[in-house]
Amino acid sequence: MTYSHTTVWIIILAMALGSFLIRFSFLGFIGDRKMPDWVLRHLRYTPVAVLPGLVAPLVFWPDATGGHTDPSRLAAALVTLSVGYFGKNVLLAILSGAATLYGMLYLLG
Protein backbone atom coordinates (compact mmCIF):
# COMPACT_ATOMS: atom_id res chain seq x y z
CA MET A 1 0.00 0.00 0.00
CA THR A 2 1.47 3.34 -0.97
CA TYR A 3 0.70 6.72 0.51
CA SER A 4 1.22 10.14 -0.96
CA HIS A 5 3.72 12.51 0.62
CA THR A 6 0.84 14.71 1.76
CA THR A 7 -0.80 11.86 3.65
CA VAL A 8 2.46 10.96 5.38
CA TRP A 9 3.05 14.56 6.46
CA ILE A 10 -0.52 14.92 7.72
CA ILE A 11 -0.04 11.80 9.85
CA ILE A 12 3.32 13.07 11.17
CA LEU A 13 1.85 16.45 12.08
CA ALA A 14 -1.19 14.86 13.74
CA MET A 15 1.05 12.58 15.81
CA ALA A 16 3.24 15.54 16.80
CA LEU A 17 0.21 17.57 17.83
CA GLY A 18 -1.23 14.65 19.79
CA SER A 19 2.07 14.06 21.57
CA PHE A 20 2.36 17.76 22.41
CA LEU A 21 -1.19 17.89 23.79
CA ILE A 22 -0.63 14.83 25.98
CA ARG A 23 2.52 16.36 27.48
CA PHE A 24 0.95 19.82 27.74
CA SER A 25 -1.97 18.39 29.71
CA PHE A 26 0.48 17.60 32.52
CA LEU A 27 3.03 20.37 32.19
CA GLY A 28 0.88 23.25 30.97
CA PHE A 29 -2.29 22.86 32.97
CA ILE A 30 -0.99 21.49 36.28
CA GLY A 31 2.77 22.09 36.00
CA ASP A 32 2.83 24.89 38.57
CA ARG A 33 0.61 23.13 41.13
CA LYS A 34 1.43 20.39 43.59
CA MET A 35 0.13 17.03 42.42
CA PRO A 36 -1.76 14.81 44.86
CA ASP A 37 0.24 12.04 46.49
CA TRP A 38 -1.77 9.30 44.75
CA VAL A 39 -0.85 10.75 41.32
CA LEU A 40 2.83 10.92 42.21
CA ARG A 41 2.69 7.35 43.52
CA HIS A 42 1.24 6.14 40.21
CA LEU A 43 3.72 8.13 38.12
CA ARG A 44 6.60 6.33 39.85
CA TYR A 45 5.53 3.12 38.10
CA THR A 46 5.72 4.62 34.59
CA PRO A 47 9.33 3.58 33.83
CA VAL A 48 8.68 0.12 35.25
CA ALA A 49 5.76 -0.25 32.83
CA VAL A 50 7.39 1.33 29.77
CA LEU A 51 10.83 -0.31 29.82
CA PRO A 52 9.59 -3.91 29.58
CA GLY A 53 7.35 -2.84 26.72
CA LEU A 54 10.38 -1.49 24.87
CA VAL A 55 12.67 -4.44 25.64
CA ALA A 56 10.30 -7.41 25.23
CA PRO A 57 10.07 -7.26 21.42
CA LEU A 58 13.86 -7.10 21.20
CA VAL A 59 14.14 -10.24 23.32
CA PHE A 60 11.30 -12.37 21.98
CA TRP A 61 11.13 -11.23 18.31
CA PRO A 62 14.56 -9.80 17.43
CA ASP A 63 15.16 -8.54 13.91
CA ALA A 64 18.67 -10.01 14.00
CA THR A 65 17.24 -13.54 13.95
CA GLY A 66 14.38 -12.89 11.57
CA GLY A 67 11.87 -12.66 14.41
CA HIS A 68 12.69 -16.01 16.02
CA THR A 69 13.33 -16.29 19.74
CA ASP A 70 17.03 -16.66 20.47
CA PRO A 71 18.52 -18.41 23.54
CA SER A 72 21.32 -15.82 23.72
CA ARG A 73 18.90 -12.94 24.10
CA LEU A 74 16.72 -14.84 26.55
CA ALA A 75 19.75 -15.66 28.71
CA ALA A 76 20.94 -12.03 28.60
CA ALA A 77 17.49 -10.79 29.61
CA LEU A 78 17.28 -13.25 32.49
CA VAL A 79 20.77 -12.37 33.74
CA THR A 80 20.02 -8.65 33.50
CA LEU A 81 16.74 -9.06 35.35
CA SER A 82 18.30 -11.23 38.05
CA VAL A 83 21.31 -8.99 38.66
CA GLY A 84 19.11 -5.90 38.68
CA TYR A 85 16.58 -7.40 41.06
CA PHE A 86 18.95 -9.01 43.53
CA GLY A 87 21.90 -6.61 43.22
CA LYS A 88 19.89 -3.35 43.00
CA ASN A 89 22.58 -1.95 40.70
CA VAL A 90 21.43 -0.76 37.27
CA LEU A 91 24.89 -0.34 35.75
CA LEU A 92 26.01 -3.79 36.91
CA ALA A 93 22.79 -5.31 35.52
CA ILE A 94 23.31 -3.68 32.12
CA LEU A 95 26.97 -4.70 31.93
CA SER A 96 26.29 -8.27 33.01
CA GLY A 97 23.45 -8.56 30.48
CA ALA A 98 25.66 -7.23 27.70
CA ALA A 99 28.48 -9.60 28.67
CA THR A 100 26.05 -12.52 28.73
CA LEU A 101 24.64 -11.60 25.32
CA TYR A 102 28.04 -11.31 23.67
CA GLY A 103 29.34 -14.41 25.44
CA MET A 104 26.34 -16.50 24.40
CA LEU A 105 26.50 -15.21 20.83
CA TYR A 106 30.19 -16.16 20.73
CA LEU A 107 29.58 -19.64 22.19
CA LEU A 108 26.47 -20.48 20.19
CA GLY A 109 27.60 -18.88 16.96
Side-chain angles (χ1 to χ4, degrees):
M1 183 187 251
T2 60
Y3 296 102
S4 68
H5 292 293
T6 306
T7 304
V8 171
W9 278 107
I10 289 172
I11 292 171
I12 290 172
L13 292 174
M15 297 289 285
L17 180 65
S19 174
F20 173 79
L21 290 175
I22 288 171
R23 284 181 279 129
F24 185 77
S25 68
F26 277 99
L27 300 174
F29 294 134
I30 59 174
D32 59 343
R33 295 184 215 135
K34 182 172 175 6
M35 286 194 215
D37 288 336
W38 65 271
V39 172
L40 295 174
R41 189 172 46 249
H42 284 84
L43 286 175
R44 274 186 250 148
Y45 295 110
T46 303
V48 177
V50 170
L51 285 175
L54 293 172
V55 172
L58 299 174
V59 172
F60 294 109
W61 303 283
D63 286 337
T65 61
H68 300 290
T69 305
D70 182 21
S72 301
R73 286 164 177 77
L74 285 175
L78 289 174
V79 167
T80 304
L81 182 65
S82 300
V83 171
Y85 183 76
F86 292 113
K88 306 287 190 230
N89 187 334
V90 175
L91 186 58
L92 184 62
I94 292 170
L95 292 175
S96 63
T100 303
L101 177 63
Y102 288 117
M104 291 290 289
L105 287 173
Y106 178 77
L107 291 174
L108 297 177

